[in-house]
């Protein structure tokens, strides 16, 4: 009877050791999983609530005014393609990226992607600000180059004769194209200001 008791005692100790090793192994696996898949870092709310924040409103303004920039430049038939081709590329690209960025938050997709969204927000708006500022300057240069163009239209002819101003950049725009590009230039700088404000607010969220 004593011999059987010692065997049972040994089996019990072995069972406890096995259970302890299993518990330690599961704890290590849980710790590794938590390290490999950290929770997403998000300061902005997700869902429709993001539209009630200043950052959400700014992104909406970036999308709306940004769409006006490429629509206006395209409607003027891109009279200076060397400069305005880049303006079209930047405004269209930023329009698409900002739209996707907003959709990711509105549809709560950001909650399912494990990344530092605060840092990503800063990087995105810093890059967008640089590109859009350059595009705004080019659009302003293309428009300003046509400011001195004087068109003398013969009443009996559909082809105007144009007196071009001296300069490195020459833009052959009529009055309609010039007016459209003036408005496009204004909106381009408005969008640039929106990206600058978004960058400032994103930087504050990232540092807090």
């Amino acid at each position: 009877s004593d011999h059987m008791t010692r065997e049972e005692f040994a089996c019990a100790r072995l069972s406890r050791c096995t259970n302890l090793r299993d518990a330690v192994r599961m704890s290590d696996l849980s710790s590794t999983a938590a390290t490999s898949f950290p929770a997403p870092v998000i300061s902005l709310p997700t869902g429709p609530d993001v539209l009630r924040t200043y950052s959400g409103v700014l992104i909406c303004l970036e999308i709306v005014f940004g769409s006006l920039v490429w629509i206006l430049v395209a409607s003027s038939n891109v009279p200076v393609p060397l400069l305005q081709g880049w303006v079209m590329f930047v405004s269209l690209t930023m329009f698409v990226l900002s739209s996707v960025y907003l959709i990711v938050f509105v549809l709560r997709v950001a909650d399912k992607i494990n990344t530092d969204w605060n840092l990503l927000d800063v990087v995105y708006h810093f890059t967008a600000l640089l590109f859009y500022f350059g595009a705004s300057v080019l659009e302003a240069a293309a428009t300003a180059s046509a400011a001195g163009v004087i068109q003398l239209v013969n009443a009996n002819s559909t082809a105007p004769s144009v007196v071009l101003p001296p300069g490195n950049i020459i833009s052959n725009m009529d009055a309609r194209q010039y007016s459209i590009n003036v408005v496009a230039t204004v909106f381009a700088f408005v969008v640039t200001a929106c990206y600058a404000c978004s960058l400032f607010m994103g930087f504050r969220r990232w540092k807090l």
Side-chain angles (χ1 to χ4, degrees):
S1 176
D2 293 340
H3 181 67
M4 292 298 295
T5 302
R6 285 196 296 271
E7 286 184 351
E8 290 175 356
F9 180 73
C11 289
R13 289 189 60 184
L14 180 61
S15 177
R16 285 197 296 269
C17 290
T18 303
N19 292 336
L20 181 60
R21 284 198 304 270
D22 291 341
V24 171
R25 187 180 298 112
M26 292 298 296
S27 177
D28 291 341
L29 290 175
S30 300
S31 177
T32 302
T35 303
S36 303
F37 303 99
V41 180
I42 306 174
S43 296
L44 283 175
T46 55
D49 289 340
V50 71
L51 301 176
R52 300 174 185 173
T53 64
Y54 288 115
S55 293
V57 172
L58 283 170
I59 295 175
C60 291
L61 293 177
E62 293 162 8
I63 294 171
V64 173
F65 291 133
S67 65
L68 290 176
V69 172
W70 63 263
I71 289 173
L72 288 169
V73 175
S75 66
S76 68
N77 298 323
V78 194
V80 190
L82 182 63
L83 301 181
Q84 293 178 309
W86 178 249
V87 176
M88 287 289 295
F89 171 76
V90 171
S91 57
L92 265 172
T93 302
M94 293 299 106
F95 168 76
V96 172
L97 292 180
S98 293
S99 299
V100 171
Y101 191 72
L102 183 62
I103 291 172
V104 165
F105 277 88
V106 172
L107 298 183
R108 304 182 191 276
V109 179
D111 291 330
K112 303 176 183 179
I113 301 176
N114 298 314
T115 187
D116 189 343
W117 285 98
N118 293 335
L119 176 60
L120 184 63
D121 184 75
V122 173
V123 172
Y124 169 66
H125 282 105
F126 176 75
T127 305
L129 175 61
L130 288 181
F131 276 84
Y132 230 106
F133 178 75
S136 300
V137 171
L138 291 179
E139 175 63 16
T143 305
S145 65
V149 175
I150 303 173
Q151 293 190 344
L152 304 174
V153 183
N154 190 334
N156 298 324
S157 175
T158 57
S161 59
V162 181
V163 178
L164 298 174
N168 295 327
I169 303 175
I170 298 176
S171 302
N172 186 9
M173 300 184 190
D174 57 26
R176 170 184 165 277
Q177 290 174 317
Y178 176 73
S179 299
I180 290 175
N181 279 278
V182 168
V183 178
T185 301
V186 173
F187 280 129
F189 279 104
V190 170
V191 177
T192 302
C194 289
Y195 278 116
C197 293
S198 292
L199 174 61
F200 173 74
M201 299 185 69
F203 185 78
R204 288 184 58 187
R205 286 193 301 272
W206 178 51
K207 298 300 289 185
L208 291 178

